[in-house]
Amino acid sequence: MSSAPSTQGPLVVGVDSSTQSTKALVVDAATGRVVASGHAPHHVTTGEARESDPQEWWEALCAALRQCGPAAREAAAVSISGQQHGLVTLDKSGRPVRPALLWNDVRSAAQARSLLERFGGPKEWADRVGSVPGPSFTVTKWAWLAEHEPSAARSTASVRLPHDYLTERLTGLGTTDRGDASGTGWWASASETYDEEILGMVGLDPALLPRVARPGEVVGTVHVGDELPFSKGTLVAPGTGDNAAAALGLGLRPGTPVLSLGTSGTVYAVSRHRPADPTGTVAGFADARDAWLPLSCTLNCTLAVDRMAALLSLDREAVAPGGAVTLLPYLDGERTPDLPHSTGMVHGLRHDTTPGQLLQAAYDGAVHSLLGALDLVLDQDADRSSPLLLIGGGARGTAWQHTVRRLSGRPVQVPKAQELVALGAAAQAAGLLTGEDPSAIARRWGTAQGPVLDPTERDDETLSRISGVLSDAAPLLGRAPRGE
């Protein structure tokens, strides 16, 4: 699809290379109008080991961009955003040594515990790195690789994150950005440099890491040939991780809270203050600009609630009010609260409890966890009465919207814009051309605009009941189920 006569500015490309697929948008830099789009899937292994072939990401990027047609060739700049934390190991010729270890590969849990102890405990990590690394963080994955596949570690000539890998395929140069680097566990947020002591502890030569580009920097130009429909010399932005890109895509100002309702739930807000939570509940990420993006994640959100609906043979919207049943939908364990061995739990079930009330209790349990995490993410500058921005796959669900309003007592805004991660990357690419702050560009595009749902009176009774059941059941929830 070529640029239409109504195009007001140059075209840019924003890419979202996620766990499951790659999405590409060609966007009018002046208006934010999506001119063309493309999509291609990835393969991910199942089970405890979650891996993907980085070459497949590149092939998916090529396919998605070809779907965009001639508009991609007209683009003046491109930016790649990608799934965070993944470990990409490349040999001297730039080919993958082995499949990438993805963020949800949990095999490095033992290495995460060991690193915490060896480096002075959670507070030392939080003060220095900004986060307490768990098995999702890249540093623990490298430690696992060095221990379990030493020949692969020895063959590694460069280490990249997923978005770094794709950006380097475009430019031929190894770069990353502060937003994605802050999720590695070896980038110190206190000094905004690679931490050579941590790297030494895991036996990783800092020369193998990409240069951390400055926000707004042109990191190179497209140098590939016929594989991609770009014109040679197209500018390439630093790119960033997916959550930082979504923050750009929403044009977030400091203190505006975001609830992302996906398979897992995520809450975050831009902050002017560097986060350092020793409990590990809040990850102290940097954003893609010059601020911070404290973030917390719950493991059980839309997928857990949909599973309960399926078990009850109900449509996901078939909730019913009333009753006093409590359901903690911790079907995959839980991260916030920190109960990794927990399972789902029902309390207060009676003869007159209806299936719809039980389904509503599942929504209540999931949102209770999200709002508890949000309280920890928001800092002293946050406006705690402003609308909650509701994004992700569940954001347009009436039951999700109603539950968030009822348990938060706050208005809820549902942005109309889709593909916010790719739009954030496009805004970053547009900033290379205009010199503007990408967040200001996204605000000009109106990406966060959408209906604002009025607040309802906060249901403190339900919140208190769930908190009480959670507290009383904590010893049981903290034990691994028998037979595991």
Side-chain angles (χ1 to χ4, degrees):
M1 179 178 179
S2 60
S3 57
S6 60
T7 298
Q8 298 180 22
L11 299 181
V12 295
V13 171
V15 174
D16 172 13
S17 180
S18 68
T19 312
Q20 302 289 343
S21 65
T22 291
K23 287 147 280 193
L25 303 181
V26 182
V27 179
D28 181 344
T31 64
R33 185 171 68 89
V34 176
V35 173
S37 63
H39 172 273
H42 307 156
H43 291 104
V44 181
T45 60
T46 58
E48 189 181 30
R50 299 296 176 94
E51 299 181 349
S52 287
D53 180 0
Q55 176 63 27
E56 191 174 331
W57 302 337
W58 174 252
E59 293 168 358
L61 174 62
C62 294
L65 286 167
R66 283 195 296 269
Q67 292 171 29
C68 294
R73 192 170 295 280
E74 296 179 32
V78 57
S79 175
I80 308 285
S81 61
Q83 55 178 302
Q84 291 182 262
H85 304 303
L87 176 67
V88 181
T89 51
L90 306 175
D91 63 18
K92 291 180 180 178
S93 63
R95 290 189 294 265
V97 171
R98 68 176 314 285
L101 278 69
L102 305 185
W103 63 274
N104 52 351
D105 187 308
V106 298
R107 286 176 290 176
S108 62
Q111 286 72 28
R113 291 190 295 269
S114 174
L115 288 174
L116 284 179
E117 295 169 2
R118 290 167 60 193
F119 199 60
K123 187 176 187 307
E124 179 67 23
W125 277 94
D127 289 345
R128 195 146 161 179
V129 174
S131 302
V132 179
S136 62
F137 281 69
T138 325
V139 66
T140 71
K141 299 182 187 302
W142 175 262
W144 180 90
L145 188 72
E147 180 178 340
H148 291 275
E149 299 181 12
S151 61
R154 288 192 298 269
S155 299
T156 298
S158 56
V159 170
R160 300 291 184 261
L161 297 167
H163 111 260
D164 307 342
Y165 169 76
L166 292 172
T167 300
E168 187 168 2
R169 290 291 299 262
L170 291 178
T171 65
L173 302 170
T175 58
T176 189
D177 91 301
R178 67 193 294 270
D180 218 1
S182 67
T184 60
W186 57 56
W187 184 85
S189 66
S191 60
E192 300 210 24
T193 59
Y194 290 131
D195 192 307
E196 296 201 9
E197 187 176 353
I198 292 175
L199 291 170
M201 186 169 58
V202 296
L204 180 56
D205 183 348
L208 273 59
L209 300 178
R211 179 179 67 85
V212 182
R214 301 182 306 277
E217 178 183 343
V218 176
V219 299
T221 57
V222 173
H223 78 122
V224 291
D226 296 333
E227 288 183 279
L228 291 180
F230 285 125
S231 300
K232 190 173 182 179
T234 300
L235 302 182
V236 181
T240 193
D242 51 4
N243 288 302
L248 288 182
L250 287 164
L252 285 188
R253 298 182 187 276
T256 301
V258 177
L259 274 70
S260 179
L261 305 175
T263 300
S264 59
T266 306
V267 292
Y268 56 85
V270 171
S271 175
R272 297 185 180 91
H273 309 285
R274 184 178 76 89
D277 176 17
T279 72
T281 302
V282 177
F285 296 145
D287 74 353
R289 299 163 56 250
D290 57 358
W292 303 93
L293 195 70
L295 177 148
S296 190
C297 180
T298 67
L299 294 183
N300 298 278
C301 195
T302 60
L303 189 65
V305 171
D306 285 352
R307 179 58 181 154
M308 291 306 305
L311 288 172
L312 295 165
S313 298
L314 294 176
D315 181 87
R316 64 168 62 99
E317 294 289 341
V319 296
V325 65
T326 298
L327 196 158
L328 304 178
Y330 302 161
L331 307 189
D332 290 317
E334 190 45 81
R335 177 171 168 177
T336 307
D338 184 19
L339 295 164
H341 302 299
S342 63
T343 59
M345 175 177 285
V346 178
H347 181 267
L349 197 63
R350 294 188 178 277
H351 280 289
D352 59 356
T353 302
T354 68
Q357 290 171 343
L358 195 57
L359 180 58
Q360 179 62 66
Y363 279 95
D364 290 349
V367 172
H368 177 274
S369 295
L370 277 170
L371 294 177
L374 182 64
D375 285 340
L376 299 171
V377 162
L378 297 178
D379 63 21
Q380 62 267 32
D381 295 337
D383 181 354
R384 295 177 183 266
S385 62
S386 63
L388 302 175
L389 286 177
L390 210 59
I391 66 172
R396 286 168 172 74
T398 302
W400 281 110
Q401 293 173 359
H402 177 72
T403 304
V404 171
R405 291 164 63 208
R406 181 172 55 83
L407 296 186
S408 70
R410 294 175 65 157
V412 166
Q413 184 167 6
V414 184
K416 290 181 179 178
Q418 302 288 312
E419 307 298 354
L420 287 164
V421 174
L423 279 174
Q428 191 188 62
L432 298 184
L433 306 177
T434 68
E436 293 176 89
D437 174 356
S439 288
I441 292 174
R443 289 193 291 272
R444 177 161 54 77
W445 290 351
T447 53
Q449 292 177 3
V452 177
L453 309 177
D454 292 335
T456 61
E457 183 179 357
R458 192 172 70 179
D459 186 352
D460 290 320
E461 180 181 347
T462 295
L463 289 170
S464 178
R465 186 180 73 248
I466 296 172
S467 295
V469 171
L470 180 58
S471 176
D472 292 343
L476 180 60
L477 291 167
R479 295 204 303 261
R482 291 180 180 178
E484 290 193 357

